[in-house]
Amino acid sequence: MLKRGYKPKPWSGAHNCRVSVFLMFLTLMLVLVIFFVVFHNDSDGANPSLAYERPKQKWNSFDLLVHLLPTKEFRNGTDLIWQVPESPKGVLFLAHGCNGRAVNFWDKSPECPDCIGLPEERLLVLHGLAQGFAVITISSAQRCWTFGKEVLVVKDIIEWWIGRRKLEKLPLVALGASSGGYFVSVLATAMKFSSTVLMIAEGLFEQIDLNGDYPPTLFVHMPKDLYRQQKIDEYVEVLKDKGIDVGVVECMEFPLSPNTLADRIPGLDLALSIKLFELFQEKGFINQNGYMKKDGRKIKWKKALEEKKTLLLDNNLVSHIQEELNLAFAYHEMTSLHSDQIFKWFESHMS
């Protein structure tokens, strides 16, 4: 109880100083803890200076919006597979990379019995259809795209298909990955695209006579590929100097989790996804934080799977798993992870 007339003494200057120092110390410790949690990784994992984004969309994220119901045809010596949504607002041509085919973009169905629906390709198609784009895919004549006669062959196929479907008044856009990216960069000199996306490809701009009619170009690439990043940086300046709108999206590595493969791959359940994750941990393919130690193409995960007699895997899922492992390492792979930015780019150049 305070005595009558008692007045508490004000804090001394020394006391104030000690409190201030203590608060500063606590603040510093909090900052260090946050930094450690966000960026800590061991030496054989992710580069701590690069941010990552875990995949958000699952393989069935579009089930309530759209389904893959393609039509497959054969023309000019190659196959084309396409789908037109109700009331389309644009046309999207997708070009695969080396060793790819048009069938990679679509799920197996009675209409396309040899389609294989690779995880990233099918999600790009689904995103396009959900955004109101008619989507067409065409297979290259050889293992990779060529840049002479094949450009005119594909131009003829696309124009024939657009005319037959009465889509001439809609904006036309294109996305190509790797070899398909080089191909799209050349095709854009022969066709009128509203905009293009070159994925994990710097394009063939040293061989192209650029002018003001060349379409706005978005580079979607993986900075781990240092040579390609340097060339993209160079070509971004070349395009800007020509007055061509240009953008860049960087795709970073991300850690695997027990449910990653089940989330991304149709037909691969959670139980198998967990077992595969545990196998990758056991064999040292991923570090303690889930990051791939090497590119998916360079680890012997299929051999490890064969040795694991109790772990059975449908052979049809091998290429799907391979793609997701490559994507997680983020050196060179088709990706749907930045679909939102890709389609915003398309739509921002359609007016």
Side-chain angles (χ1 to χ4, degrees):
M1 179 180 293
L2 293 177
K3 294 181 180 180
R4 181 177 293 179
Y6 174 81
K7 292 182 180 179
K9 294 180 181 180
W11 285 4
S12 67
H15 184 78
N16 284 334
C17 182
R18 287 195 297 272
V19 172
S20 298
V21 170
F22 180 71
L23 290 175
M24 289 176 62
F25 176 78
L26 285 179
T27 302
L28 178 60
M29 290 301 295
L30 180 60
V31 171
L32 289 174
V33 168
I34 292 173
F35 182 88
F36 182 87
V37 171
V38 174
F39 293 109
H40 174 70
N41 218 326
D42 58 12
S43 59
D44 58 0
N47 183 341
S49 67
L50 300 180
Y52 70 85
E53 182 179 2
R54 287 185 185 274
K56 293 186 178 67
Q57 285 180 339
K58 298 183 179 182
W59 67 266
N60 58 353
S61 293
F62 292 95
D63 277 2
L64 297 178
L65 299 174
V66 66
H67 293 88
L68 296 178
L69 300 169
T71 299
K72 184 177 180 182
E73 300 185 66
F74 190 83
R75 183 175 174 84
N76 288 3
T78 189
D79 55 299
L80 61 146
I81 308 175
W82 54 270
Q83 184 171 338
V84 180
E86 187 176 350
S87 303
K89 65 181 181 184
V91 176
L92 168 62
F93 166 61
L94 293 170
H96 61 75
C98 288
N99 297 314
R101 307 292 297 170
V103 295
N104 291 2
F105 292 89
W106 311 87
D107 291 341
K108 184 177 181 179
S109 66
E111 296 78 15
C112 189
D114 56 340
C115 282
I116 61 175
L118 290 178
E120 301 308 309
E121 284 86 337
R122 67 182 298 278
L123 278 172
L124 281 170
V125 173
L126 284 166
H127 203 118
L129 292 171
Q131 292 293 319
F133 286 85
V135 180
I136 177 172
T137 61
I138 300 172
S139 294
S140 61
Q142 301 177 26
R143 188 178 76 87
C144 299
W145 294 95
T146 56
F147 313 113
K149 180 183 177 181
E150 192 163 30
V151 172
L152 299 179
V153 169
V154 171
K155 176 178 183 290
D156 176 76
I157 292 174
I158 295 174
E159 291 179 344
W160 165 79
W161 178 78
I162 286 176
R164 195 180 63 160
R165 305 308 306 174
K166 295 181 170 48
L167 304 172
E168 301 97 325
K169 295 182 179 180
L170 299 182
L172 174 63
V173 301
L175 181 154
S178 194
S179 172
Y182 296 121
F183 185 76
V184 165
S185 73
V186 177
L187 184 63
T189 64
M191 300 192 71
K192 184 64 176 178
F193 291 113
S194 296
S195 63
T196 63
V197 172
L198 308 187
M199 184 177 286
I200 54 174
E202 69 272 25
L204 294 175
F205 294 106
E206 290 178 353
Q207 304 175 30
I208 295 173
D209 184 17
L210 292 171
N211 55 52
D213 292 332
Y214 197 84
T217 299
L218 178 68
F219 293 96
V220 178
H221 75 105
M222 299 177 172
K224 271 188 178 179
D225 187 339
L226 296 179
Y227 171 78
R228 184 159 284 113
Q229 170 156 10
Q230 292 170 358
K231 295 300 293 184
I232 288 173
D233 289 343
E234 175 186 334
Y235 289 153
V236 164
E237 296 306 315
V238 170
L239 292 170
K240 284 182 177 178
D241 288 344
K242 294 290 185 178
I244 299 165
D245 193 14
V246 61
V248 177
V249 173
E250 294 185 341
C251 307
M252 306 304 187
E253 62 193 333
F254 61 86
L256 296 178
S257 70
N259 60 300
T260 299
L261 297 178
D263 287 346
R264 306 293 292 173
I265 301 173
L268 196 155
D269 63 28
L270 182 58
L272 178 57
S273 183
I274 293 172
K275 290 178 181 178
L276 288 169
F277 180 80
E278 291 172 346
L279 176 66
F280 299 154
Q281 285 181 315
E282 176 189 328
K283 295 297 182 179
F285 298 151
I286 57 179
N287 69 15
Q288 64 184 18
N289 296 313
Y291 286 94
M292 299 286 297
K293 291 183 179 181
K294 296 180 181 179
D295 189 286
R297 303 171 183 88
K298 294 183 178 180
I299 62 172
K300 298 180 180 179
W301 70 271
K302 286 171 278 191
K303 181 180 179 182
L305 192 63
E306 293 171 0
E307 294 171 352
K308 197 83 169 178
K309 305 296 185 181
T310 58
L311 188 53
L312 301 178
L313 178 68
D314 185 341
N315 285 333
N316 293 325
L317 296 176
V318 170
S319 57
H320 299 63
I321 295 170
Q322 183 70 69
E323 181 170 77
E324 291 305 301
L325 298 183
N326 299 344
L327 179 61
F329 188 73
Y331 181 82
H332 192 80
E333 187 55 77
M334 177 84 76
T335 176
S336 66
L337 298 185
H338 297 278
S339 293
D340 287 343
Q341 290 165 277
I342 289 170
F343 284 93
K344 283 179 182 177
W345 177 262
F346 286 148
E347 292 180 11
S348 67
H349 295 91
M350 285 169 56
S351 58

